[in-house]
Amino acid sequence: MYLLDTNIFLESAKRYYALDIAPKFWEKLHVLFDSKIISSIQRVKDEIKSDHHGLSTWIKENAKYFSTTASNDSLVTVSKYIESLKTTDAQKSHFLSHADIYISVCSSFQSEFNNCNWWKIQSYFW
């Protein structure tokens, strides 16, 4: 299963796959969500709600696809790891305040998302 972050939705809607230009792209997302090939999380839905590219309506209509959540214990573990990295406080704060940490936690601590690579989190900072 692939866990989608906010940017896949925002960049798709803003660039080449606007809802009114490429409806087949968005229909394919429905198929992939329903087939459990892709998933996303509540925090991604929250980040997209304020978008002005027609996504807020799409998100409301498809809220069921954004239900995965992270446990508090898992969030603490990942937060401690991020805090231990040798990078700026501003970069750490940015990472911890967006959906990125929740994506990391869900992908690494929940059984259906168990293929997290920590180097991907580290590469975010460099």
Side-chain angles (χ1 to χ4, degrees), residues 2 4-5 15-16 21-22 27 33-34 38-39 45-46 56 59 61 64 70 81 95 103 105 117-118 121 123:
Y2 296 92
L4 303 183
D5 193 6
R15 298 188 189 274
Y16 310 106
I21 295 173
E27 290 171 18
F33 273 116
D34 290 336
I38 61 174
S39 185
K45 181 178 99 172
D46 295 342
S56 58
I59 289 296
E61 293 171 353
K64 67 181 181 179
Y81 174 78
F95 183 84
I103 291 284
V105 169
N117 290 311
W118 286 111
I121 296 171
S123 68

Side-chain angles (χ1 to χ4, degrees), residues 12-26 53:
S12 297
K14 283 193 252 185
R15 298 188 189 274
Y16 310 106
Y17 305 109
L19 291 159
D20 58 340
I21 295 173
K24 293 289 185 191
F25 172 83
W26 300 94
H53 296 279

Side-chain angles (χ1 to χ4, degrees), residues 28-44:
K28 183 64 175 183
L29 286 181
H30 283 277
V31 171
L32 295 172
F33 273 116
D34 290 336
S35 301
K36 306 243 185 282
I37 294 170
I38 61 174
S39 185
S40 196
I41 62 172
Q42 179 71 35
R43 189 69 179 243
V44 168

Side-chain angles (χ1 to χ4, degrees), residues 74-84 96 101 105 118:
S74 300
L75 285 169
V76 168
T77 301
V78 173
S79 294
K80 286 180 181 178
Y81 174 78
I82 297 302
E83 289 298 331
S84 74
L96 294 172
I101 186 171
V105 169
W118 286 111

Side-chain angles (χ1 to χ4, degrees), residues 49-105:
K49 278 184 183 179
S50 61
D51 183 60
H52 301 290
H53 296 279
L55 280 179
S56 58
T57 301
W58 190 87
I59 289 296
K60 287 178 189 170
E61 293 171 353
N62 296 286
K64 67 181 181 179
Y65 298 134
F66 299 86
S67 59
T68 303
T69 58
S71 74
N72 286 336
D73 290 343
S74 300
L75 285 169
V76 168
T77 301
V78 173
S79 294
K80 286 180 181 178
Y81 174 78
I82 297 302
E83 289 298 331
S84 74
L85 295 175
K86 292 182 169 108
T87 189
T88 68
D89 288 341
Q91 288 174 312
K92 292 175 188 177
S93 177
H94 177 79
F95 183 84
L96 294 172
S97 67
H98 290 82
D100 302 323
I101 186 171
Y102 297 89
I103 291 284
S104 299
V105 169

